[in-house]
Amino acid sequence: MRMIDLIEKKRDGGELTKEEINFFVDGYTDGSIPDYQASTFLMTVFYKDMTDEEITNLTLAMANSGDVIDLSSIEGVKVDKHSTGGVGDTTTIVLAPLVAAVGVPVAKMSGRGLGHTGGTIDKLEAIPGFQVELENDKFIKLVNETQVAVTGQSGNLAPADKKLYALRDVTATVDSIPLIASSIMSKKIASGADAIVLDVTTGDGAFMKNIEDATRLAKTMVRIGKLAGRNTMAVISDMSQPLGEAIGNTIEIEEAIATLNGNGPEDLTEMVYVLGSQMVVLAGKAATLEEARAMLVEALESGKAKEKFKEMIANQGGNPEIVDAPEKMEQAKFVYEVPAKETGCVREIHAENVGIAAMILGAGRKTKEDSIDYSVGVKLHKKVGMDVKEGETLVTIYSNTEDVAAVREMLYDNITIGEKVEEPALIRGIIT
Ligand code: URA
Ligand code: CA
C-alpha cells in the first residue's frame, strides 16, 4: 500500500477501506508516513469529508494506537461524560461527586487546558494536596470502593491522535467535523467507558460556532460511539456566554462547592442535572430521566453529594476542609470590582474573549509550558438577559498583579449592555 494512492483516492471522492485507514494511522504513528503526506491527507478530508464508516475506522485505529484502559474490574456500567469545550465550564467537578452519590461509578479521565482557563484537572489542582496522577490500580480501586476518582489522561492514550492533533493545529485542519469527532471519540473509547454522555457546546466560546455544525458533530459522535459498541448520547448546549459565573481555577472550585450546597448559578446547576440524569439512565440506575433527576436532587439537597466531594478530595490526597472553608485555598492578592458604565440589559458576553481575559490574568496557559496561577480569574455578576444599573458590579477581577487596566478594558469591550433581550436557552438539542 502507498500513501500517495490513499491521498489520490480521497482527493477524487473515494471511500477508504478499513485497511487503508489503518495503514495511514499506523504509518503516521510509527513515522514511516511523513508529515507532508499526512498534512495533505488531512486537508483532503477537510474538503471531501468522510462517511460514518470511515470515521468509525479512523476512530478505532487511533483508539488502538496506544493504551486501551480496561475498566472491566469496576462493577456496574461505567459512564463517561465529555464536553467539546467551553469557557468557565465547572460541570465535571460538580457532576462527578453528585452522580457517584447515587451509586453510579464515575471513572473520569480529564485533560489539562490550553488557552482560556485550565481543564478540569488543572482546576482540581487548585485544591491543596490534590493528586491528579493516579496509578491505574489505585484509580480502579478508588472507583470500586468509593464510586469516584478523577485522573489525568494516561500519557500513552491514543498517541496517533496526539500526533495528528499537533499537525492539524499547524495546518488549518482542526475545524473538520470528521477529524474532531474521531479525535474526541478515540480518546473516550481508549479510556474504557461502557457508555458516553457528550456535551456538545455551540456558540462563541465553542469549536462549533453555530447550531447546525454542533448538531452534525453531535450526530456523528453518537453514531460512531454506537458503531464502536458504546451506548452514546449527546446534549447540545449553549456556549455563547461562559457557563456559570466563575472563570478561573480556585474560584471555579468555590463555584462547584456553592452548587453542591444548592447555591450555585442557575445555568450550571441545570447543566449538571441535565447531563447527570442522562448518565444515571445510561448506567441503568433509573428508568426515566425524571426518576434520575429526582435521585440527583435528593443527593444534592441531603448533602450526600457534598460529602462525596469531600471523600473524593481526601482519597486523592487533598484537603477536604476546603469544602466547608474555601478560603483555605490560595487566594488572589487583589480583588477589583468592575462597575457597569450604563443602565440596561446585558445583551452579550463574548465567551471566548472573556476566557482570554482570565488567561491574561494567569488562569490559563498560552503555551503547553506555561504554569497556571490558580487564584486568579473573573466572576460575572450579570449574565445575558439580566438587567443592570449604572455603577452596579458587572464583574469581579481576581488578580495577583495590581495593574488590571487592560483586562478591565477587555471585559468592557466584550460585555454589551443595551435593550432588553431574553435569556438564551441553555439546552439546544438532545441527540440519541
Ligand atoms: N478536542 C479534541 O480532543 N480533539 C479535537 O479535534 C477537538 C477538540
Ligand atoms: Ca463556571
Side-chain angles (χ1 to χ4, degrees):
M1 224 179 268
R2 295 190 314 164
M3 191 59 204
I4 184 173
D5 300 324
L6 270 61
I7 296 171
E8 191 175 274
K9 188 173 179 186
K10 196 76 222 162
R11 182 200 68 190
D12 296 339
E15 181 173 354
L16 299 178
T17 64
K18 183 176 180 133
E19 290 67 35
E20 287 167 333
I21 287 175
N22 287 344
F23 172 80
F24 163 66
V25 171
D26 294 347
Y28 187 60
T29 312
D30 71 19
S32 58
I33 293 171
D35 282 347
Y36 54 83
Q37 284 188 314
S39 309
T40 312
F41 178 74
L42 293 171
M43 194 57 91
T44 57
V45 170
F46 184 93
Y47 281 112
K48 292 289 176 175
D49 209 340
M50 278 184 146
T51 63
D52 282 350
E53 199 164 338
E54 285 178 307
I55 305 173
T56 307
N57 287 328
L58 178 61
T59 304
L60 292 176
M62 292 200 294
N64 291 322
S65 66
D67 295 346
V68 175
I69 314 287
D70 180 3
L71 299 178
S72 60
S73 56
I74 299 174
E75 279 164 46
V77 181
K78 279 74 66 184
V79 188
D80 201 352
K81 169 257 168 190
H82 182 83
S83 162
T84 59
V87 177
D89 188 349
T90 317
T91 312
T92 297
I93 300 164
V94 186
L95 257 184
L98 176 61
V99 171
V102 302
V104 175
V106 180
K108 184 86 190 94
M109 279 182 203
S110 278
R112 293 191 185 274
L114 193 57
H116 308 327
T117 43
T120 296
I121 287 295
D122 299 305
K123 293 170 195 174
L124 287 168
E125 280 183 336
I127 300 170
F130 197 96
Q131 295 299 315
V132 296
E133 309 295 341
L134 299 178
E135 291 292 330
N136 220 6
D137 293 352
K138 172 146 193 216
F139 178 61
I140 287 175
K141 184 169 182 281
L142 282 177
V143 181
N144 257 331
E145 290 173 359
T146 71
Q147 279 71 53
V148 62
V150 182
T151 184
Q153 244 159 36
S154 122
N156 197 35
L157 200 80
D161 171 64
K162 203 177 222 171
K163 211 172 159 190
L164 281 168
Y165 193 86
L167 188 62
R168 286 165 58 205
D169 207 22
V170 293
T171 56
T173 50
V174 168
D175 273 345
S176 154
I177 287 174
L179 297 178
I180 295 173
S182 55
S183 167
I184 292 173
M185 293 304 285
S186 67
K187 284 170 285 196
K188 292 292 105 185
I189 287 166
S191 28
D194 306 305
I196 302 160
V197 171
L198 297 164
D199 171 18
V200 178
T201 49
T202 179
D204 183 66
F207 269 105
M208 299 291 120
K209 304 294 179 201
N210 62 61
I211 185 75
E212 290 76 26
D213 287 346
T215 305
R216 232 202 107 207
L217 178 63
K219 285 185 172 166
T220 304
M221 289 199 289
V222 168
R223 275 199 303 265
I224 58 183
K226 286 180 176 166
L227 284 170
R230 316 297 166 105
N231 200 355
T232 305
M233 65 81 57
V235 172
I236 300 173
S237 73
D238 178 59
M239 196 46 84
S240 61
Q241 61 174 338
L243 185 67
E245 294 162 0
I247 304 143
N249 296 280
T250 298
I251 59 174
E252 283 196 51
I253 297 289
E254 289 174 3
E255 181 172 71
I257 295 166
T259 307
L260 288 167
N261 277 325
N263 308 319
E266 228 173 88
D267 57 348
L268 175 61
T269 304
E270 182 58 20
M271 198 66 218
V272 163
Y273 280 136
V274 168
L275 294 171
S277 306
Q278 297 283 355
M279 291 171 77
V280 173
V281 168
L282 283 193
K285 294 277 178 189
T288 64
L289 291 171
E290 293 70 32
E291 192 190 326
R293 190 175 175 120
M295 288 162 71
L296 294 170
V297 169
E298 194 278 330
L300 192 135
E301 289 179 352
S302 65
K304 277 186 215 146
K306 185 166 108 172
E307 287 310 309
K308 192 50 93 178
F309 189 42
K310 285 185 191 167
E311 192 186 349
M312 170 182 133
I313 293 171
N315 286 340
Q316 298 195 220
N319 179 3
E321 290 168 23
I322 62 110
V323 176
D324 294 316
E327 67 279 2
K328 289 188 177 172
M329 285 184 288
E330 193 185 307
Q331 301 291 310
K333 278 201 208 92
F334 305 101
V335 179
Y336 298 104
E337 308 293 330
V338 180
K341 285 179 179 170
E342 62 203 302
T343 296
C345 174
V346 177
R347 293 178 60 86
E348 268 185 315
I349 304 177
H350 280 289
E352 186 166 11
N353 285 340
V354 171
I356 292 171
M359 184 181 79
I360 292 169
L361 290 166
R365 296 184 183 85
K366 284 187 205 72
T367 71
K368 263 191 287 200
E369 288 70 34
D370 285 352
S371 59
I372 283 187
D373 189 346
Y374 295 111
S375 61
V376 303
V378 297
K379 194 185 275 177
L380 306 168
H381 295 271
K382 301 286 175 181
K383 303 279 305 261
V384 172
M386 289 171 77
D387 295 327
V388 59
K389 289 201 175 69
E390 186 187 338
E392 218 182 333
T393 301
L394 198 55
V395 186
T396 304
I397 297 174
Y398 297 84
S399 173
N400 280 325
T401 48
E402 207 167 347
D403 180 7
V404 294
V407 169
R408 185 187 284 118
E409 271 327 292
M410 199 165 167
L411 291 168
Y412 278 130
D413 287 346
N414 286 284
I415 302 177
T416 320
I417 297 173
E419 279 174 25
K420 187 75 185 165
V421 290
E422 289 301 312
E423 206 180 290
L426 180 64
I427 307 300
R428 304 289 304 274
I430 301 274
I431 309 288
T432 55

